[in-house]
């Protein structure tokens, strides 16, 4: 009787350990935060470099805004000393 040899079968088992890469969702949130911070600092820089007349114009623009069926958002009040 002849001995028949069977081929050897090797199973490769991949072990996946936790604590590694958790996806890239944090990158999107971080990019959104950095964009908002850049816009905020640009706004602060523009407001700091504007003269008083331009700042009053901006304040008046938002003072006269009205809600549907309502009165002015700031009810005619402005921030700062009165205009000369």
């Amino acid at each position: 009787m002849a001995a028949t040899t069977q081929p050897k079968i090797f199973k490769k088992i991949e072990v996946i350990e936790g604590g590694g890469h958790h996806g890239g969702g944090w990158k999107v949130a971080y990019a959104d935060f950095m964009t908002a911070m850049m816009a905020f600092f640009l706004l602060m820089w523009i407001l700091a470099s504007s003269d008083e007349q331009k700042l009053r114009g901006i304040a008046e623009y938002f003072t006269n805004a009205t809600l549907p069926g309502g009165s002015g958002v700031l009810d005619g009040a402005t921030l700062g000393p009165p205009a000369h």
Side-chain angles (χ1 to χ4, degrees):
M1 183 159 171
T4 59
T5 60
Q6 294 181 345
K8 293 182 180 179
I9 299 173
F10 295 97
K11 258 182 145 178
K12 184 177 180 182
I13 300 173
E14 293 186 28
V15 178
I16 300 173
E17 296 180 12
H21 182 64
H22 293 294
W26 69 271
K27 295 176 191 174
V28 176
Y30 183 71
D32 288 344
F33 174 72
M34 293 309 293
T35 304
M37 292 303 295
M38 181 185 69
F40 175 73
F41 285 115
L42 282 174
L43 175 68
M44 293 291 112
W45 178 51
I46 290 170
L47 289 177
S49 65
S50 298
D51 60 350
E52 187 175 343
Q53 183 179 3
K54 288 182 183 177
L55 291 176
R56 292 206 179 277
I58 293 170
E60 187 175 323
Y61 175 79
F62 287 106
T63 300
N64 293 333
T66 58
L67 296 173
S71 61
V73 174
L74 298 175
D75 293 328
T78 57
L79 302 175
H84 301 318

